[in-house]
Amino acid sequence: MTESAKKRMVELLLTFCMVTTGSVFVCAVYNKIFWLHNTSLNADILWQLLALAFLCSLGNFIHPYREISRRRILINKGLHYLYINAVVLGCGYGFGWMDKGNVLMLIVMVLGILLVFAVVSFVIWRLHTRESKNLNQKLREYQQAGRG
């Protein structure tokens, strides 16, 4: 397995873990707001959240692992966000988490999606920034060693 493929797998697993954590958090808040009187949750929700996190993690493949323009980055980020919304809202309706026609449920779900998407995107961006700084530092050290 190439170094790039290893990094891609690690990022995919990290995204899966963060999306799972974020989804559980949003699910807890969402259930407190909308399903307050239904205190028993079906254990299937755990499998549903794992399936949701897996599908959402696959959205990472929208982003190429090579240098692209800032405009293309923004387009990819927008496509990724739309993909996440389609997956989460589709699962939300498919799994019966949301009542059709309940606009408040939809709004809260979309806000939850935005929150988790923003946090996961920020963490991944920070990791990429740190990796770039480390690579640049190693390159500077290598160049200086070659001159000395």
Side-chain angles (χ1 to χ4, degrees):
M1 185 179 275
T2 68
E3 190 65 30
S4 178
K6 287 179 189 176
K7 286 180 184 179
R8 198 80 159 169
M9 287 302 297
V10 167
E11 185 176 305
L12 188 71
L13 289 172
L14 177 62
T15 300
F16 175 79
C17 291
M18 288 188 296
V19 170
T20 301
T21 303
S23 297
V24 168
F25 175 76
V26 170
C27 179
V29 171
Y30 188 82
N31 282 314
K32 273 295 189 199
I33 294 170
F34 294 108
W35 305 107
L36 185 61
H37 302 295
N38 183 6
T39 56
S40 64
L41 288 176
N42 187 332
D44 288 344
I45 189 93
L46 300 173
W47 293 109
Q48 293 167 356
L49 289 173
L50 290 172
L52 174 79
F54 175 74
L55 291 173
C56 287
S57 298
L58 294 179
N60 284 12
F61 291 111
I62 292 172
H63 307 284
Y65 230 66
R66 59 183 165 73
E67 196 69 31
I68 57 175
S69 70
R70 185 166 301 285
R71 181 174 184 258
R72 187 67 211 180
I73 290 171
L74 292 174
I75 290 170
N76 287 357
K77 196 53 92 171
L79 290 173
H80 192 177
Y81 181 69
L82 292 174
Y83 169 78
I84 297 299
N85 274 277
V87 167
V88 176
L89 294 175
C91 286
Y93 286 116
F95 293 140
W97 300 342
M98 299 167 45
D99 292 334
K100 291 184 175 159
N102 188 331
V103 177
L104 186 57
M105 280 184 157
L106 177 64
I107 291 169
V108 170
M109 187 68 79
V110 169
L111 290 175
I113 294 167
L114 181 61
L115 176 68
V116 173
F117 184 82
V119 169
V120 172
S121 294
F122 177 76
V123 170
I124 297 295
W125 173 76
R126 290 285 296 161
L127 289 172
H128 286 208
T129 301
R130 185 180 311 151
E131 183 180 4
S132 293
K133 285 181 182 178
N134 287 341
L135 286 172
N136 287 333
Q137 178 62 32
K138 297 275 187 207
L139 182 59
R140 279 192 293 276
E141 290 171 5
Y142 175 78
Q143 289 172 341
Q144 288 175 353
R147 289 186 220 154

